[in-house]
Amino acid sequence: MCGIYGHIKKSSKTNSLNACIDGLKKLEYRGYDSAGVAGIHDGKIVCCKTVGKVVVLERAVKAIKLELSVAIAHTRWATHGKITETNAHPHFDESRSIALVHNGIIENYQKLKTELEENGIEFLSETDTEVISQLISFHYENDISKAIQKTLPLLEGSFAIAFIHKDHPDKIIASSRGCPLAIGICHESHDIFLSSDSNAFTSSKLDVFYLHDDEYAIISHELIEVYNLAGIKLVKQIETLNLENISISKEGFDHFLLKEIHDQPLSISKAIENRLDYANATANFSELTLSDEELQKTNRILILACGSSYHAGCIAKQIFEAYAKIPTEVEIASEFRYKDPIILKNTLILAISQSGETADTLAAVKESKRSNCPVIALCNVKRSSLSRLASSTLWLNAGPEISVCSTKAFTSQLTLLMLLALKIARLKTLSHKEGKKFLFEIERLPAQIADILSKSSEIEKIAKKYAGHKDFFFIGRNYMYPTSLEAALKLKEITYLNATGYPAGEMKHGPIALISKKLVTIALCGNKHTFEKLLSNLMEIKSRGGPIVAFAPKNSSEILSLTNDVIFLSDSISDTFAPITYSICCQLLAYYIAKFLGKDIDQPRNLAKSVTVE
Ligand code: F6R
């Protein structure tokens, strides 16, 4: 995982250390366990590492009062080794000639480490990364190219690396395999930037290129040279990036999470903007490169995703099957990639990822592409790796999602998936009348969400009442079952409480044994089709003394006698669209419980926004 950054000054007045800190702040979504920065001063490697978030490093760097014109930096999500200053990057070789930052995992690091130790080399850290710096140094005989050509073939796994060497104080050397690494040259200052994510560049207009697998770059302010492993110089394709200067602010909310929950009337409006085609009772996507004929041929859909994006896929499965009548499979990307998948002809592959950088999803898509079936990605982050892999990318247009926990991206994914289901359904058998009804309903979503948000204080009261409990079940039926999975994920992610999502009708087959006064059941009653059945399931829980809180449609007063607390929502929300509105209720519930418990809501422990390792 982790984010790497680098800066070489050409004509700006920027101190490379400060440029790196600014870059790291934009990469913190990739991990925030520790951070570090290094450069060369008076012929020696200088380095500052701290445990915790980038602000802690920023304070430490300010205290050093050092000016550098070349620096590399790192923000870590721990994989190998505890969260300590020693394990923080950059890592060195034994003679401290090299400082190196790394994103990825070296799978054979233990074997390489043992071999180096047998050669008398001592290691300082518990990380896999240190083997890379030690190996480069081991192979270095005054020729940096040769050292890297000897080192890279020994590494198994994935990496994006950047390092400095005290014999080459004006240079950064970088390489990658399976992890993104972008190099940008600022139009104005000609300063050079290097980053795990081109969106983290702190300059607004740059010429950018990406390193591909096993390429390496030797970068100075005068020259950037890129080679392949055979030492052949490569000509890279350069694109000009105009980065929007989006100001990131909580806009008066206490947390980004709450702001992003409240963004949803707007983010859903953006997801449907210019995509509703009333004349043809369908949805249109200007970015879609697949023709209607190709879509019409689809007779199976395969959805690949992780986490909340996977839950969006599980809800979409039911929608594709109900409206487009296409059998749909949803696969957790980390499982799919190691299967021997059967992908039949005319399968449409949908890859869902907010970040477009999730390693498991990328690997699953690479595997699925062997079938030659078209891949449509649904992404929020522009220029992400996934969008470069897919045949077409549908953009969520939700705006930056800063909080680690996904809220508005999840509901925008659902909205886009619903529109895509409508488009395919109209190409199959759905009538014009039904298509139009679907469009009217989807257009009402922003207003319905605003109505949900107006219930925040009611939800806050419920949160306060139940914040002392340790165990929660979220249950629902039909569309509300996958919605309950997402609701449980939200709660456990930001409160660290035990929460499980379950199909209500399945409780009696085992989990009902857990019901007691201490375990709270949150019932998602947004599915009219199975409402009566759900009531019976709630009765079974009530009979066993379990407290029940329900989110339910307004006209369902029979729910009152079964539950301890109810929040009534509009009864005009249809079953198909209820996953969006009911999810937002659960986002608010999780938020307020986390707030009462005093948790680090925007950056929960052990997590990162973008999971770039498998
Ligand atoms: C949960 C959450 C994660 C992500 C998952 C996939 O709130 O944010 O479960 O959904 O890591 O991330 P993307 O969508 O970027 O592939």
Side-chain angles (χ1 to χ4, degrees), residues 305-310 352-358 361 401 404-407 413 486 489-490 493 608-611:
C306 300
S308 294
S309 299
Y310 167 75
I352 312 172
S353 175
Q354 187 285 133
S355 62
E357 297 297 345
T358 301
T361 307
E401 193 179 63
V404 163
C405 175
S406 185
T407 51
Q413 288 167 344
E486 172 61 7
L489 177 62
K490 292 298 87 146
E493 202 178 351
K609 179 95 191 135
S610 182
V611 185

Side-chain angles (χ1 to χ4, degrees), residues 553-603:
K554 214 184 272 168
N555 68 1
S556 55
S557 50
E558 57 269 62
I559 201 99
L560 277 169
S561 63
L562 286 174
T563 56
N564 301 60
D565 292 280
V566 191
I567 296 206
F568 285 117
L569 311 181
S570 162
D571 52 10
S572 66
I573 303 168
S574 73
D575 288 11
T576 313
F577 300 94
I580 294 189
T581 43
Y582 281 68
S583 289
I584 295 174
C585 294
C586 297
Q587 293 169 359
L588 284 166
L589 182 71
Y591 170 78
Y592 285 117
I593 294 182
K595 197 169 170 206
F596 285 121
L597 297 177
K599 301 298 180 197
D600 188 347
I601 292 178
D602 285 329
Q603 292 182 317

Side-chain angles (χ1 to χ4, degrees), residues 105-109 111-112 152-158 177:
I105 288 180
I106 303 303
E107 286 160 4
N108 60 339
Y109 87 101
K111 177 176 161 274
L112 296 170
L152 297 188
L154 302 174
L155 305 177
E156 285 169 19
S158 60
R177 185 194 299 158

Side-chain angles (χ1 to χ4, degrees), residues 191-208:
D191 283 8
I192 297 162
F193 297 85
L194 178 143
S195 173
S196 300
D197 175 356
S198 57
N199 294 300
F201 287 139
T202 48
S203 169
S204 55
K205 195 166 184 186
L206 311 100
D207 281 340
V208 171

Side-chain angles (χ1 to χ4, degrees), residues 248-256 259 602:
I248 305 287
S249 134
K250 289 185 197 145
E251 289 170 18
F253 289 97
D254 287 346
H255 296 92
F256 279 111
K259 182 216 159 239
D602 285 329

Side-chain angles (χ1 to χ4, degrees), residues 284-299:
N284 286 323
F285 299 91
S286 56
E287 327 83 305
L288 192 61
T289 51
L290 263 69
S291 66
D292 283 358
E293 290 68 40
E294 282 173 285
L295 284 178
Q296 203 164 21
K297 271 195 274 170
T298 303
N299 54 22

